[in-house]
Amino acid sequence: MNTSKSKSAFEDAKRYIPGGVNSPVRAFANVGMNPLFIDKAAGSKIYDIDGNEYIDYVGSWGPMLLGHAFSPVVEAVREAACGSTSFGAPCISETRLAKCICETVSCVDVVRMVNSGTEATMSAIRLARGYTGRNLIIKFEGCYHGHSDSLLIKAGSGALTFGSASSAGVVEELAKYTLVLPYNDFDAVEDAFKKFGEEIAAVIIEPVAGNMGVVKPADGFLLKIRELTREYKSVFIVDEVMTGFRVSPSGAVGLFGIEPDIITFGKIIGGGLPVGAYGGKREIMEFISPLGPVYQAGTLSGNPLAMAAGLAQLTYLRENPQIYDLLEESGAYLEAGFNEAAKTAGADVCINRVGSMMSVFFTKERVEDFDTANTSDTEKFKIYFKSMLNSGIYLAPSQFEAVFLSAAHSRSDLDKTIEAAFKAMKAIQ
Ligand code: KE4
């Protein structure tokens, strides 16, 4: 694969952009390679500036559920752009997208648009603290909720000890208000509420983790959190930035039958344009300005182009619910093919999948939390990643991310991907 143009583009980018990228994971550091610079994409395919074609399983990290350059989305953006790109004033498309979300996700009475998943979760945390008058929040190890200070926190030294900053620049005094618990650990959550319950403003969780690789919630784990947050009057925040409108028509809350107080959204609801959102019970959401005392704002929140793109994508999904059956079929087909490839090569893998999001871990263990995810052999992942890329398969450049399928991935795309997996699994042995 000739990638010389990408190589020089990366050198050029590094002259003007820190690390040459606008988001760290894109730098391909986790796989020890230079990143590919992308020229264009259509359907399930992505093309780098050297003209190489790949089957894309990053899908812009989730938004491209219907594939790249999906024409209803492109047309909607094109039409909106002709009426200016931003007003900084209310427009009907904001109401239309909000209505679509509220009608599709029953536990959302009202929803506020922002510009990223980070803004959505940051605002939800502030709202929960303002609504309860409490300071403590609980998150789970391995879950990523964007880069706001209260959420860039790693687990404390011992069980039930408060977190410490996982990034430079996060004030340690703030980190102490975040408790980081093991994902799927019922006892840890119960102990935390027994010890701190009256002080806990909120629990935030990825209902299907995608940022330690894909890890499913243990049966009853989300409901246990719902019970405890209700008992102690804490706010239950479910972060559906990745899973929303992906793992079912009404996301993970629909799939698992849970009723959180607040849900955060992103990615798919923007159709590839910058959109985040947080919504939930009216009683809580009305604490947000201009109605209530919790301030939150944004120059480009509800941007007409982003609203048009999100509305086009969500409308198509609502009108074509059979897409979710297709995504499940494709996901199951890919999972079976990868397991067959690993078995044939004698490679130890754990494959976790929920619908159209999947991860391959190179370990004998069942991956059920951050610790078991970290038993994966990341050197083997690098070899697997490079082999797949050389076969024309574009995966997320990190063990701790997910493969994202779209409705545009054809059976022949999947067969080509599985064939590449047979080669990659042999390469790691
Ligand atoms: P953004 O601020 O990146 O739009 O969203 C943050 C976020 C919040 N919650 C969840 C569950 C998320 O997965 C994310 C962002 N996801 C990563 C991919 N694992 C974005 C990729 C990147 O950082 O470049």
Side-chain angles (χ1 to χ4, degrees):
M1 204 74 93
N2 170 21
T3 57
S4 56
K5 285 183 183 164
S6 277
K7 194 168 180 325
S8 56
F10 191 40
E11 292 314 309
D12 198 31
K14 284 190 277 191
R15 291 173 56 205
Y16 305 105
I17 303 170
V21 291
N22 285 309
S23 198
V25 71
R26 302 181 195 168
F28 273 40
N30 295 316
V31 290
M33 292 173 69
N34 285 330
L36 300 177
F37 276 63
I38 302 305
D39 172 37
K40 61 184 177 183
S44 61
K45 305 299 185 301
I46 198 162
Y47 303 86
D48 68 18
I49 58 173
D50 289 282
N52 301 305
E53 177 186 285
Y54 307 86
I55 300 172
D56 179 23
Y57 287 97
V58 176
S60 179
W61 303 93
M64 299 304 172
L65 189 68
L66 294 173
H68 287 285
F70 184 64
S71 51
V73 171
V74 174
E75 286 319 307
V77 173
R78 194 195 309 276
E79 189 184 336
C82 296
S84 181
T85 50
S86 181
F87 311 123
C91 59
I92 291 173
S93 59
E94 296 172 84
T95 309
R96 286 191 182 129
L97 183 55
K99 182 169 183 274
C100 183
I101 293 170
C102 294
E103 287 177 344
T104 312
V105 190
S106 59
C107 53
V108 177
D109 299 334
V110 287
V111 61
R112 167 63 61 86
M113 301 295 167
V114 292
N115 300 284
S116 68
T118 293
E119 269 194 271
T121 58
M122 174 181 72
S123 308
I125 293 292
R126 185 181 311 133
L127 171 58
R129 284 173 162 156
Y131 174 72
T132 60
R134 301 174 182 178
N135 295 334
L136 302 190
I137 59 168
I138 289 177
K139 75 175 288 289
F140 294 89
E141 211 165 18
C143 288
Y144 174 70
H145 304 286
H147 62 88
S148 66
D149 285 3
S150 282
L151 293 168
L152 283 182
I153 308 295
K154 59 178 183 271
S157 51
L160 291 192
T161 51
F162 285 98
S164 57
S166 62
S167 161
V170 172
V171 175
E172 283 303 335
E173 281 71 18
L174 180 64
K176 289 184 191 129
Y177 292 110
T178 302
L179 189 55
V180 183
L181 303 180
Y183 198 81
N184 283 330
D185 189 330
F186 287 78
D187 294 342
V189 181
E190 282 174 334
D191 292 349
F193 271 94
K194 276 197 199 99
K195 194 166 176 188
F196 303 109
E198 315 294 341
E199 303 166 62
I200 294 170
V203 177
I204 185 169
I205 192 166
E206 287 184 62
V208 174
N211 287 289
M212 55 177 129
V214 175
V215 174
K216 303 177 191 178
D219 288 349
F221 187 61
L222 299 171
L223 288 175
K224 169 56 75 179
I225 297 172
R226 176 64 287 178
E227 280 165 20
L228 288 166
T229 46
R230 193 166 277 135
E231 183 185 346
Y232 286 88
K233 298 184 173 44
S234 304
V235 175
F236 184 17
I237 302 169
V238 167
D239 180 357
E240 293 234 50
V241 167
M242 186 183 284
T243 53
F245 297 92
R246 173 167 287 277
V247 297
S248 96
S250 50
V253 296
L255 187 66
F256 299 121
I258 47 170
E259 284 227 351
D261 299 307
I262 296 177
I263 303 179
T264 53
F265 300 97
K267 298 181 192 278
I268 290 170
I269 69 163
L273 269 68
V275 180
Y278 62 108
K281 291 190 176 126
R282 190 179 292 276
E283 177 209 340
I284 300 176
M285 291 299 293
E286 290 187 344
F287 265 66
I288 280 288
S289 55
L291 293 177
V294 179
Y295 192 71
Q296 180 268 307
T299 303
L300 296 175
S301 297
N303 171 273
L305 273 62
M307 297 296 102
L311 195 61
Q313 180 140 277
L314 295 196
T315 302
Y316 191 88
L317 287 168
R318 269 177 75 165
E319 290 169 357
N320 298 276
Q322 75 284 359
I323 279 179
Y324 290 94
D325 298 330
L326 167 69
L327 289 168
E328 174 52 35
E329 242 173 75
S330 298
Y333 187 81
L334 199 67
E335 179 183 0
F338 274 50
N339 270 317
E340 187 57 31
K343 193 165 158 238
T344 306
D348 291 321
V349 298
C350 167
I351 297 180
N352 287 347
R353 178 181 70 84
V354 177
S356 58
M357 57 191 276
M358 180 176 101
S359 288
V360 180
F361 296 93
F362 296 91
T363 177
K364 289 194 178 75
E365 308 275 335
R366 282 162 50 109
V367 177
E368 298 167 328
D369 58 19
F370 188 61
D371 286 347
T372 43
N374 277 285
T375 64
S376 184
D377 182 330
T378 50
E379 287 310 307
K380 284 187 175 179
F381 176 83
K382 280 183 194 169
I383 297 165
Y384 155 80
F385 175 84
K386 286 176 186 167
S387 173
M388 294 293 274
L389 195 64
N390 286 331
S391 300
I393 311 300
Y394 187 76
L395 301 173
S398 162
Q399 168 66 77
F400 306 106
E401 295 289 352
V403 160
F404 291 116
L405 274 150
S406 82
H409 283 81
S410 64
R411 187 49 65 94
S412 67
D413 288 336
L414 301 181
D415 287 333
K416 186 176 173 192
T417 307
I418 292 166
E419 190 186 336
F422 270 85
K423 196 170 164 203
M425 293 296 176
K426 284 202 183 79
I428 64 172
Q429 290 304 87

mmCIF file of all heavy atoms in Angstrom, residues 23-26 61 116-119 121 144-147 206 210-211 239 241-242 267 401, ligand 1:
data_model
loop_
_atom_site.group_PDB
_atom_site.id
_atom_site.type_symbol
_atom_site.label_atom_id
_atom_site.label_comp_id
_atom_site.label_asym_id
_atom_site.label_seq_id
_atom_site.Cartn_x
_atom_site.Cartn_y
_atom_site.Cartn_z
ATOM 1 N N SER A 23 -7.586 15.238 17.261
ATOM 2 C CA SER A 23 -8.034 14.368 18.336
ATOM 3 C C SER A 23 -6.992 13.254 18.452
ATOM 4 O O SER A 23 -6.630 12.641 17.432
ATOM 5 C CB SER A 23 -9.427 13.792 18.041
ATOM 6 O OG SER A 23 -10.011 13.308 19.230
ATOM 7 N N PRO A 24 -6.490 13.010 19.667
ATOM 8 C CA PRO A 24 -5.283 12.175 19.834
ATOM 9 C C PRO A 24 -5.336 10.792 19.201
ATOM 10 O O PRO A 24 -4.365 10.352 18.587
ATOM 11 C CB PRO A 24 -5.147 12.078 21.346
ATOM 12 C CG PRO A 24 -5.846 13.270 21.878
ATOM 13 C CD PRO A 24 -6.968 13.556 20.938
ATOM 14 N N VAL A 25 -6.472 10.103 19.339
ATOM 15 C CA VAL A 25 -6.500 8.696 18.870
ATOM 16 C C VAL A 25 -6.240 8.596 17.371
ATOM 17 O O VAL A 25 -5.785 7.577 16.860
ATOM 18 C CB VAL A 25 -7.836 8.025 19.263
ATOM 19 C CG1 VAL A 25 -8.985 8.574 18.438
ATOM 20 C CG2 VAL A 25 -7.751 6.509 19.139
ATOM 21 N N ARG A 26 -6.516 9.705 16.639
ATOM 22 C CA ARG A 26 -6.333 9.680 15.182
ATOM 23 C C ARG A 26 -4.862 9.606 14.779
ATOM 24 O O ARG A 26 -4.565 9.328 13.615
ATOM 25 C CB ARG A 26 -6.918 10.947 14.553
ATOM 26 C CG ARG A 26 -8.380 11.169 14.831
ATOM 27 C CD ARG A 26 -8.846 12.446 14.146
ATOM 28 N NE ARG A 26 -10.132 12.892 14.649
ATOM 29 C CZ ARG A 26 -10.630 14.090 14.387
ATOM 30 N NH1 ARG A 26 -9.956 14.950 13.650
ATOM 31 N NH2 ARG A 26 -11.805 14.448 14.866
ATOM 32 N N TRP A 61 -16.064 7.255 14.136
ATOM 33 C CA TRP A 61 -16.214 6.832 15.540
ATOM 34 C C TRP A 61 -17.679 6.689 15.929
ATOM 35 O O TRP A 61 -18.074 6.912 17.058
ATOM 36 C CB TRP A 61 -15.471 7.787 16.482
ATOM 37 C CG TRP A 61 -14.025 7.877 16.122
ATOM 38 C CD1 TRP A 61 -13.443 8.792 15.291
ATOM 39 C CD2 TRP A 61 -12.991 6.967 16.491
ATOM 40 N NE1 TRP A 61 -12.113 8.515 15.135
ATOM 41 C CE2 TRP A 61 -11.797 7.412 15.869
ATOM 42 C CE3 TRP A 61 -12.931 5.833 17.297
ATOM 43 C CZ2 TRP A 61 -10.581 6.762 16.017
ATOM 44 C CZ3 TRP A 61 -11.710 5.184 17.453
ATOM 45 C CH2 TRP A 61 -10.545 5.640 16.820
ATOM 46 N N SER A 116 -20.996 18.676 21.185
ATOM 47 C CA SER A 116 -20.162 17.466 21.271
ATOM 48 C C SER A 116 -20.660 16.593 22.411
ATOM 49 O O SER A 116 -21.411 17.045 23.286
ATOM 50 C CB SER A 116 -18.706 17.853 21.545
ATOM 51 O OG SER A 116 -18.589 18.390 22.860
ATOM 52 N N GLY A 117 -20.188 15.351 22.420
ATOM 53 C CA GLY A 117 -20.514 14.457 23.524
ATOM 54 C C GLY A 117 -19.942 14.964 24.833
ATOM 55 O O GLY A 117 -20.567 14.850 25.891
ATOM 56 N N THR A 118 -18.739 15.561 24.739
ATOM 57 C CA THR A 118 -18.118 16.124 25.947
ATOM 58 C C THR A 118 -18.998 17.181 26.586
ATOM 59 O O THR A 118 -19.239 17.193 27.795
ATOM 60 C CB THR A 118 -16.740 16.725 25.594
ATOM 61 O OG1 THR A 118 -15.855 15.673 25.218
ATOM 62 C CG2 THR A 118 -16.146 17.494 26.755
ATOM 63 N N GLU A 119 -19.497 18.095 25.734
ATOM 64 C CA GLU A 119 -20.374 19.142 26.267
ATOM 65 C C GLU A 119 -21.631 18.536 26.886
ATOM 66 O O GLU A 119 -22.130 19.009 27.906
ATOM 67 C CB GLU A 119 -20.815 20.064 25.128
ATOM 68 C CG GLU A 119 -19.952 21.266 24.881
ATOM 69 C CD GLU A 119 -20.688 22.237 23.974
ATOM 70 O OE1 GLU A 119 -20.543 22.108 22.749
ATOM 71 O OE2 GLU A 119 -21.426 23.085 24.497
ATOM 72 N N THR A 121 -22.073 15.513 28.336
ATOM 73 C CA THR A 121 -21.861 14.870 29.643
ATOM 74 C C THR A 121 -21.417 15.881 30.697
ATOM 75 O O THR A 121 -21.844 15.802 31.860
ATOM 76 C CB THR A 121 -20.798 13.757 29.533
ATOM 77 O OG1 THR A 121 -19.578 14.338 29.027
ATOM 78 C CG2 THR A 121 -21.252 12.639 28.609
ATOM 79 N N TYR A 144 -15.379 6.146 29.056
ATOM 80 C CA TYR A 144 -14.928 7.484 28.661
ATOM 81 C C TYR A 144 -16.167 8.299 28.333
ATOM 82 O O TYR A 144 -17.066 7.822 27.625
ATOM 83 C CB TYR A 144 -14.028 7.393 27.427
ATOM 84 C CG TYR A 144 -13.604 8.734 26.840
ATOM 85 C CD1 TYR A 144 -12.714 9.569 27.492
ATOM 86 C CD2 TYR A 144 -14.108 9.152 25.600
ATOM 87 C CE1 TYR A 144 -12.325 10.788 26.945
ATOM 88 C CE2 TYR A 144 -13.732 10.363 25.048
ATOM 89 C CZ TYR A 144 -12.840 11.175 25.719
ATOM 90 O OH TYR A 144 -12.472 12.391 25.169
ATOM 91 N N HIS A 145 -16.190 9.515 28.877
ATOM 92 C CA HIS A 145 -17.380 10.352 28.680
ATOM 93 C C HIS A 145 -16.982 11.712 28.121
ATOM 94 O O HIS A 145 -17.630 12.710 28.387
ATOM 95 C CB HIS A 145 -18.132 10.529 30.000
ATOM 96 C CG HIS A 145 -18.535 9.244 30.656
ATOM 97 N ND1 HIS A 145 -19.563 8.458 30.190
ATOM 98 C CD2 HIS A 145 -18.029 8.594 31.730
ATOM 99 C CE1 HIS A 145 -19.691 7.389 30.954
ATOM 100 N NE2 HIS A 145 -18.777 7.432 31.899
ATOM 101 N N GLY A 146 -15.855 11.770 27.382
ATOM 102 C CA GLY A 146 -15.370 13.048 26.899
ATOM 103 C C GLY A 146 -14.348 13.631 27.868
ATOM 104 O O GLY A 146 -13.980 12.996 28.870
ATOM 105 N N HIS A 147 -13.867 14.823 27.578
ATOM 106 C CA HIS A 147 -12.685 15.328 28.297
ATOM 107 C C HIS A 147 -12.984 16.471 29.264
ATOM 108 O O HIS A 147 -12.135 17.343 29.497
ATOM 109 C CB HIS A 147 -11.619 15.750 27.269
ATOM 110 C CG HIS A 147 -12.056 16.857 26.354
ATOM 111 N ND1 HIS A 147 -11.897 18.189 26.682
ATOM 112 C CD2 HIS A 147 -12.681 16.837 25.158
ATOM 113 C CE1 HIS A 147 -12.393 18.932 25.703
ATOM 114 N NE2 HIS A 147 -12.885 18.151 24.780
ATOM 115 N N GLU A 206 -21.534 4.279 30.666
ATOM 116 C CA GLU A 206 -21.794 3.865 29.283
ATOM 117 C C GLU A 206 -22.641 2.583 29.370
ATOM 118 O O GLU A 206 -22.149 1.583 29.917
ATOM 119 C CB GLU A 206 -20.496 3.537 28.542
ATOM 120 C CG GLU A 206 -19.623 4.710 28.147
ATOM 121 C CD GLU A 206 -18.421 4.229 27.331
ATOM 122 O OE1 GLU A 206 -18.626 3.658 26.248
ATOM 123 O OE2 GLU A 206 -17.287 4.406 27.809
ATOM 124 N N GLY A 210 -17.874 1.189 25.285
ATOM 125 C CA GLY A 210 -17.236 1.088 23.964
ATOM 126 C C GLY A 210 -15.831 1.653 23.995
ATOM 127 O O GLY A 210 -15.080 1.577 23.036
ATOM 128 N N ASN A 211 -15.457 2.218 25.120
ATOM 129 C CA ASN A 211 -14.165 2.926 25.210
ATOM 130 C C ASN A 211 -13.097 2.165 25.974
ATOM 131 O O ASN A 211 -12.037 2.711 26.266
ATOM 132 C CB ASN A 211 -14.397 4.312 25.826
ATOM 133 C CG ASN A 211 -15.087 5.232 24.840
ATOM 134 O OD1 ASN A 211 -14.497 5.662 23.856
ATOM 135 N ND2 ASN A 211 -16.370 5.501 25.072
ATOM 136 N N ASP A 239 -24.914 7.491 29.445
ATOM 137 C CA ASP A 239 -24.179 8.149 28.354
ATOM 138 C C ASP A 239 -24.349 7.329 27.076
ATOM 139 O O ASP A 239 -23.672 6.332 26.874
ATOM 140 C CB ASP A 239 -22.698 8.278 28.737
ATOM 141 C CG ASP A 239 -21.900 8.952 27.624
ATOM 142 O OD1 ASP A 239 -22.487 9.260 26.563
ATOM 143 O OD2 ASP A 239 -20.689 9.149 27.801
ATOM 144 N N VAL A 241 -23.855 8.546 24.011
ATOM 145 C CA VAL A 241 -23.181 9.224 22.889
ATOM 146 C C VAL A 241 -22.826 8.204 21.812
ATOM 147 O O VAL A 241 -22.979 8.463 20.623
ATOM 148 C CB VAL A 241 -21.930 9.971 23.386
ATOM 149 C CG1 VAL A 241 -21.048 10.422 22.237
ATOM 150 C CG2 VAL A 241 -22.348 11.184 24.226
ATOM 151 N N MET A 242 -22.358 7.026 22.221
ATOM 152 C CA MET A 242 -21.964 6.010 21.233
ATOM 153 C C MET A 242 -23.125 5.052 20.918
ATOM 154 O O MET A 242 -23.337 4.673 19.767
ATOM 155 C CB MET A 242 -20.778 5.213 21.782
ATOM 156 C CG MET A 242 -20.174 4.232 20.816
ATOM 157 S SD MET A 242 -18.844 3.256 21.532
ATOM 158 C CE MET A 242 -17.501 4.432 21.560
ATOM 159 N N LYS A 267 -22.762 11.917 18.183
ATOM 160 C CA LYS A 267 -22.475 11.060 17.037
ATOM 161 C C LYS A 267 -23.665 10.901 16.078
ATOM 162 O O LYS A 267 -23.949 11.795 15.281
ATOM 163 C CB LYS A 267 -21.951 9.701 17.544
ATOM 164 C CG LYS A 267 -20.618 9.845 18.355
ATOM 165 C CD LYS A 267 -20.107 8.524 18.819
ATOM 166 C CE LYS A 267 -19.006 8.675 19.842
ATOM 167 N NZ LYS A 267 -17.686 8.934 19.266
ATOM 168 N N GLU A 401 -11.064 0.379 21.448
ATOM 169 C CA GLU A 401 -12.130 1.051 20.712
ATOM 170 C C GLU A 401 -13.046 -0.022 20.128
ATOM 171 O O GLU A 401 -12.860 -1.210 20.388
ATOM 172 C CB GLU A 401 -11.529 1.915 19.586
ATOM 173 C CG GLU A 401 -10.671 3.070 20.073
ATOM 174 C CD GLU A 401 -11.466 4.190 20.734
ATOM 175 O OE1 GLU A 401 -12.719 4.161 20.697
ATOM 176 O OE2 GLU A 401 -10.833 5.090 21.311
HETATM 177 P P1 KE4 B 1 -16.994 13.915 21.852
HETATM 178 O O1 KE4 B 1 -16.701 15.078 22.766
HETATM 179 O O2 KE4 B 1 -15.706 13.250 21.333
HETATM 180 O O3 KE4 B 1 -17.989 14.249 20.749
HETATM 181 O O4 KE4 B 1 -17.750 12.782 22.709
HETATM 182 C C1 KE4 B 1 -17.142 12.296 23.884
HETATM 183 C C2 KE4 B 1 -17.717 10.928 24.216
HETATM 184 C C3 KE4 B 1 -18.657 10.841 25.229
HETATM 185 N N1 KE4 B 1 -19.205 9.646 25.557
HETATM 186 C C4 KE4 B 1 -18.873 8.516 24.895
HETATM 187 C C5 KE4 B 1 -19.497 7.217 25.300
HETATM 188 C C6 KE4 B 1 -17.926 8.552 23.840
HETATM 189 O O5 KE4 B 1 -17.583 7.411 23.203
HETATM 190 C C7 KE4 B 1 -17.338 9.782 23.485
HETATM 191 C C8 KE4 B 1 -16.285 9.906 22.391
HETATM 192 N N2 KE4 B 1 -15.906 8.705 21.759
HETATM 193 C C9 KE4 B 1 -14.563 8.663 21.231
HETATM 194 C C10 KE4 B 1 -14.358 7.289 20.593
HETATM 195 N N3 KE4 B 1 -14.160 6.297 21.551
HETATM 196 C C11 KE4 B 1 -14.301 9.778 20.275
HETATM 197 C C12 KE4 B 1 -13.077 9.606 19.410
HETATM 198 C C13 KE4 B 1 -12.080 10.703 19.687
HETATM 199 O O6 KE4 B 1 -11.846 11.020 20.882
HETATM 200 O O7 KE4 B 1 -11.493 11.201 18.705
#
